[in-house]
């Protein structure tokens, strides 16, 4: 499904993407976005603008819906570690 941020194993992002994206499904009519196991949004497009995300490891996934069924997406892991600006 080409998620962004992609599944990472032990690496940290230095910034959170402005939008999370995934490949659209030809048969989906909506998508549920989960962050850390909590449903955050139901959308009709294949992108989501996240809220502020704390420095830590997180999980996210997207479930696709149509009139007949729900397809549970793959859970991706990513870490965030935003370094503070260096004092001069």
């Amino acid at each position: 499904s080409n998620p962004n941020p992609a599944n990472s194993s032990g690496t940290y992002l230095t910034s959170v993407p402005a939008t999370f994206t995934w490949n659209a499904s030809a048969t989906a009519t909506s998508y549920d976005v989960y962050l850390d196991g909590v449903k955050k949004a139901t959308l009709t497009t294949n992108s989501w603008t996240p809220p502020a995300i704390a420095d830590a490891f997180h999980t996210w996934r997207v479930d696709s819906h149509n009139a007949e069924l729900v397809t549970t997406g793959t859970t991706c892991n990513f870490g965030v570690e935003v370094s503070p600006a260096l004092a001069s």
Side-chain angles (χ1 to χ4, degrees), residues 17-28:
T19 58
F20 285 31
T21 59
W22 56 93
N23 287 346
S25 166
T27 59

Side-chain angles (χ1 to χ4, degrees), residues 13-77:
L13 301 173
T14 56
S15 65
V16 176
T19 58
F20 285 31
T21 59
W22 56 93
N23 287 346
S25 166
T27 59
T29 55
S30 66
Y31 304 95
D32 289 338
V33 179
Y34 292 82
L35 180 65
D36 297 326
V38 177
K39 183 175 164 182
K40 296 293 187 175
T42 298
L43 308 165
T44 57
T45 63
N46 62 320
S47 67
W48 172 63
T49 302
I53 296 176
D55 287 4
F57 269 101
H58 300 278
T59 61
W60 81 289
R61 81 166 199 264
V62 177
D63 296 348
S64 303
H65 293 259
N66 65 26
E68 297 177 10
L69 61 101
V70 176
T71 301
T72 301
T74 301
T75 299
C76 293
N77 301 293

